[in-house]
């Protein structure tokens, strides 16, 4: 194998090197997290009590800062009484990797605290539905509108200045309004995801459409294509792979609006699970839920990426 | 070029060539360009790109258009194609004025303009199907055109799988599939390497011989113009005007060996005279007078490359 120069600018890596580095991009943060969790000399600002000894205000499993703990030990020893015992610990909001890994499993098999509450998979499914409808409705209007804006200057001038203004308005700001109009259940949540996605979508799709090589349109004109045929047989197929890539990126943005959206009205879905677990200080479950969102997002994108290669065999920019 | 031997005049034509031109001019006029003007509005004022262009093209003629850069060659062919509008004068195709692009005028561009999402066969079918032909008939005809250009094996390949020369062959087939009255070509081989270009030129002449098509071909390569053309339209720059319409005295059928024939060299000498003499006048200095600036010597040089 020839030596690779890793740091020459814009050089393609071998697919083997890409895979290895990709795996390391996950291993590195987990490694840092493990060191902070498992090496007692790194951080560990608290002491978790195993035996309160003679100190009346301490309880087993209580966490307290190291300074006061050492004071309490010194005090008890000076008085000749049993000193409290404990081991270095991190704050409760930073569970160790193995605890979160365990929670990734137990969160799914643990029944909800009461019968009318949803299981984790039900919460997740609810979230996915909210995302789907928000993104679907946005795309159903945003994609055609964006393509029209990109293809026809008058439509672009009539639409884009306002859209440009609207996209600066933070979607969650419409929360209260959405509840007043659409009620407290899924309506306002879908609306927030719609608002968060739609305006960016129109602009991005319009820009992508404008990037179509004008020579292709001219070639089609000289072949006798009419205006409508130009749109349906040249513009749309010509931008389709790029449009698909845009939608993949926008779907990621839709997920980032999910948590805020689900807090509006009655808290639901994965957000309900997260807030519920945080309230009882089950932070390993909180991390597990957040990681699950990441896995679903990345997984969807990978699947869509693989489908792209199937859909657009002529597209050479595709990964 | 051998300076000892005087070249004949480019106006001298052998009997066969003269007879051929007489036959050509008896054929009906396909394209008539009358007093064509094109003025561009720019922030610095008006730029006259084309001024009072007149010429005719007869059926099955191969016309090449040459000229220095900035003479408006591309503007001219875009107006003929209907992609740009002239500011004055008119273009008649078989007596009818040209308005906008249409399938009666095929065009092959310099850049590769095959639709990347369509297979080679579907690219050739494009013009046929947008004009309302059924899928099966269009497919049948497309395969015939691919056979003509010798690419039937690549019918189901995508354009990105083809070499540059193959792409332009498919582009020619795509334009011809509509059976246009005239084929417009805007430096179609400009991006190809020398060998491929020579092959494409021979190939194009072969196609032209086989079918009823009139070709207007823009190039800046004088050899290419003389090799391909019946007549060469020479434009001058600023503003773009017709300098001369030269009847190429090189006999048909054309062969690569003719590149060193007397008629060929005489024609080329005339074209160079028209184009470069004018360019030098325009720039106010000739090649010999041009003083190269002193170059600071950055490295020690103790021998000469000359």
């Amino acid at each position: 194998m020839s030596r690779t120069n890793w740091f020459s600018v814009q050089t393609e890596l071998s697919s083997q090197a890409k895979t290895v580095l990709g795996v390391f991009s996950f291993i590195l943060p987990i490694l840092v997290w493990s060191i902070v969790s498992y090496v007692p000399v790194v951080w560990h600002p608290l002491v978790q009590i195993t035996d309160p000894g003679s100190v009346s205000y301490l309880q087993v499993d209580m966490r307290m800062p190291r300074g006061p703990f050492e004071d309490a030990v010194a005090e008890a020893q000076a008085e000749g009484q049993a000193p409290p015992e404990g081991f270095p610990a991190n704050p409760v909001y930073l569970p160790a990797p193995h605890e979160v890994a365990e929670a990734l499993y137990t969160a799914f098999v643990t029944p909800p605290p009461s019968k009318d509450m949803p299981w984790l998979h039900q919460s997740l499914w609810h979230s996915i539905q909210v995302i789907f409808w928000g993104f679907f409705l946005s795309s159903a209007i945003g994609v055609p509108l964006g393509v029209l804006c990109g293809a026809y200057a008058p439509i672009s001038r009539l639409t884009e200045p306002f859209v440009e203004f609207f996209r600066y308005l933070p979607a969650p700001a419409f929360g209260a309004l959405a509840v007043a109009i659409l009620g407290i259940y899924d309506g306002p949540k879908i609306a927030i995801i719609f608002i968060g996605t739609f305006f960016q979508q129109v602009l991005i799709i319009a820009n992508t459409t404008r990037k179509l090589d004008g020579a292709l349109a001219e070639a089609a004109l000289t072949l006798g294509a009419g205006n409508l045929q130009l749109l349906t047989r040249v513009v749309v197929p010509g931008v389709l792979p790029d449009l698909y890539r845009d939608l993949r990126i926008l779907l990621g943005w839709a997920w980032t609006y999910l948590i805020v959206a689900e807090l509006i009205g009655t808290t639901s879905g994965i957000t309900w699970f997260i807030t519920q677990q945080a309230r009882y200080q089950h932070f390993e479950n909180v991390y597990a839920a957040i990681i699950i969102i990441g896995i679903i997002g990345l997984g969807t994108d990978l699947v869509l990426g693989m489908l792209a290669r199937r859909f657009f065999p002529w597209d050479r920019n595709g990964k | 070029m051998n300076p000892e031997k005087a070249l004949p005049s480019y106006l001298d034509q052998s009997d066969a060539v003269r007879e051929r031109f007489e036959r050509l001019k008896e054929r009906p006029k396909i394209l008539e360009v009358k007093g064509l003007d094109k003025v561009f509005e720019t922030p610095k004022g008006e730029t006259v790109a084309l001024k009072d262009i007149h010429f005719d093209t007869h059926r099955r003629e191969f016309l090449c258009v040459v000229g220095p850069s900035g003479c408006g060659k591309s503007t001219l062919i875009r107006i003929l194609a209907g992609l740009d509008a002239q500011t004055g004068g008119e273009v008649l195709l078989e007596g009818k004025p040209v308005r906008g692009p249409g399938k009666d005028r095929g065009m092959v561009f310099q850049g590769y303009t095959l639709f990347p999402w369509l297979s080679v066969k579907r690219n050739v079918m494009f013009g046929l199907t947008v004009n309302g032909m059924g899928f099966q008939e269009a497919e049948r005809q497309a395969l015939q055109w691919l056979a003509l250009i010798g690419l039937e094996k690549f019918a189901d390949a995508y354009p990105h799988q083809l070499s540059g020369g193959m792409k332009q062959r498919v582009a020619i087939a795509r334009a011809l599939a509509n059976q246009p009255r005239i084929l417009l070509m805007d430096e179609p081989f400009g991006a190809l390497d020398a060998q491929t270009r020579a092959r494409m030129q021979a190939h194009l002449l072969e196609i032209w011989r086989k079918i009823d098509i009139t070709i207007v071909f823009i190039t800046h390569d004088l050899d290419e113009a003389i090799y391909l053309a019946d007549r060469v339209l020479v434009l001058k720059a600023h503003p773009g005007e017709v300098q001369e319409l030269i009847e190429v005295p090189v006999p048909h059928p054309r062969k690569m060996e003719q590149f060193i024939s007397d008629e060929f060299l005489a024609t080329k000498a005339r074209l160079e005279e028209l184009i470069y003499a004018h360019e030098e006048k325009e720039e106010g200095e000739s090649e010999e007078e041009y003083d190269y600036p002193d170059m600071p010597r950055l490295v020690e040089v103790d021998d000469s490359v000359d």
Side-chain angles (χ1 to χ4, degrees), chain B residues 17-277:
Chain B
V17 169
R18 193 177 309 114
E19 219 171 90
R20 201 175 161 279
F21 272 114
E22 275 161 19
R23 280 208 315 274
L24 188 147
K25 285 172 195 166
E26 276 166 21
R27 292 195 208 120
K29 287 176 184 173
I30 288 280
L31 181 76
E32 294 164 79
V33 176
K34 292 179 175 171
L36 201 65
D37 291 318
K38 177 70 182 177
V39 180
F40 285 109
E41 304 278 350
T42 66
K44 288 183 224 155
E46 291 185 341
T47 309
V48 181
L50 293 174
K51 193 177 160 194
D52 200 25
I53 306 278
H54 284 272
F55 69 90
D56 298 330
T57 311
H58 296 267
R59 209 185 109 214
R60 297 201 72 183
E61 178 176 354
F62 201 131
L63 178 81
C64 279
V65 182
V66 298
S69 51
C71 70
K73 305 187 283 273
S74 284
T75 309
L76 174 63
I77 206 159
R78 287 179 60 83
I79 292 173
L80 297 185
L83 293 172
D84 283 342
Q86 67 268 36
T87 40
E90 61 178 349
V91 176
L92 300 177
L93 187 79
E94 293 188 308
K96 289 191 288 287
V98 161
R99 301 222 197 299
K103 67 176 183 122
D104 49 2
R105 284 149 291 137
M107 177 124 170
V108 178
F109 298 80
Q110 179 177 15
Y112 304 125
T113 56
L114 295 182
F115 304 120
W117 59 92
L118 295 178
S119 67
V120 164
K121 183 176 75 188
R122 294 292 191 96
N123 260 286
V124 178
M125 287 166 66
F126 184 91
L128 299 171
T129 50
V130 293
N131 288 299
M133 189 183 282
F135 184 89
Q136 277 173 352
E137 175 62 12
E139 186 177 32
R140 196 182 63 77
Q141 293 196 8
L143 290 173
Q144 283 176 352
W145 286 105
L146 287 178
L148 178 78
I149 58 163
L151 286 178
E152 62 267 67
K153 270 189 222 141
F154 292 86
D156 294 314
Y158 283 105
H160 74 87
Q161 295 165 308
L162 305 183
S163 69
M166 281 151 79
K167 281 183 205 170
Q168 288 306 63
R169 269 150 77 186
V170 176
I172 292 170
R174 183 178 68 174
L176 290 176
N178 267 342
Q179 307 205 333
R181 300 305 298 145
I182 188 164
L183 181 64
L184 307 168
M185 306 183 83
D186 185 5
E187 301 200 31
F189 309 147
L192 304 177
D193 63 79
Q195 276 180 340
T196 312
R197 184 190 301 201
R199 263 209 313 278
M200 291 294 291
Q201 289 163 354
H203 202 82
L204 179 62
L205 281 179
E206 199 51 47
I207 293 173
W208 172 65
R209 209 168 287 142
K210 282 183 194 159
I211 61 172
D212 175 6
I213 189 76
T214 310
I215 300 181
V216 175
F217 188 105
I218 287 197
T219 179
H220 61 261
D221 179 341
L222 300 183
D223 288 323
E224 182 171 69
I226 301 165
Y227 176 54
L228 295 176
D230 289 315
R231 296 191 293 176
V232 178
L233 183 73
V234 187
L235 299 183
K236 73 172 192 59
H238 313 296
E241 284 177 304
V242 176
Q243 264 191 306
E244 193 173 344
L245 184 59
I246 293 177
E247 297 182 348
V248 178
V250 183
H252 277 76
R254 295 282 165 75
K255 296 183 197 67
M256 285 286 168
E257 297 85 72
Q258 290 168 323
F259 273 66
I260 47 167
S261 70
D262 287 348
E263 301 96 336
F264 197 101
L265 295 174
T267 313
K268 190 171 178 191
R270 176 59 181 165
L271 288 176
E272 281 174 341
E273 187 187 327
L274 286 171
I275 292 170
Y276 300 125

Side-chain angles (χ1 to χ4, degrees), chain A residues 201-243:
Chain A
Q201 194 170 31
V202 171
L203 295 180
I204 288 177
I205 302 276
N207 266 333
T208 299
T209 308
R210 271 190 282 269
K211 276 190 210 131
L212 181 74
D213 188 358
L216 294 181
E218 288 189 339
L221 285 173
T222 62
L223 290 167
N227 237 334
L228 187 66
Q229 286 170 322
L230 206 58
L231 186 69
T232 57
R233 300 198 47 180
V234 179
V235 176
V236 171
V239 300
L240 212 51
D242 290 324
L243 214 134

Side-chain angles (χ1 to χ4, degrees), chain A residues 30-189:
Chain A
I30 293 176
L31 197 66
V32 172
W33 183 19
S34 299
I35 290 172
V36 172
S37 300
Y38 299 132
V39 182
V41 293
V42 182
W43 203 35
H44 288 73
L46 304 182
V47 174
Q48 189 169 345
I49 308 298
T50 51
D51 178 5
S54 60
V55 184
S56 57
Y57 58 85
L58 291 181
Q59 287 170 344
V60 173
D61 278 351
M62 198 176 142
R63 294 174 204 228
M64 69 183 296
R66 204 179 289 162
F69 174 77
E70 279 161 8
D71 292 346
V73 170
E75 206 174 298
Q77 280 170 338
E79 288 169 17
Q81 288 174 320
E85 284 168 30
F87 57 88
N90 280 326
V92 68
Y93 58 76
L94 186 70
H98 74 273
E99 294 172 297
V100 174
E102 225 170 87
L104 273 173
Y105 172 71
T106 55
F108 281 100
V109 295
T110 311
S114 79
K115 266 194 182 156
D116 55 337
M117 288 176 181
W119 289 66
L120 174 58
H121 64 270
Q122 289 171 320
S123 300
L124 268 175
W125 181 237
H126 190 243
S127 293
I128 289 172
Q129 282 176 310
V130 168
I131 288 273
F132 173 80
W133 285 112
F135 191 72
F136 175 79
L137 292 174
S138 168
S139 302
I141 308 173
V143 171
L145 186 60
V147 169
L148 288 176
C149 285
Y152 302 114
I155 299 183
S156 160
R157 286 309 298 165
L158 193 62
T159 312
E160 285 186 51
F162 178 75
V163 170
E164 189 83 51
F165 157 76
F166 211 102
R167 84 185 167 114
Y168 284 101
L169 311 182
F174 293 88
L177 198 59
V179 168
I181 299 171
L182 297 165
I184 57 169
Y185 298 107
D186 287 350
K189 301 172 177 55

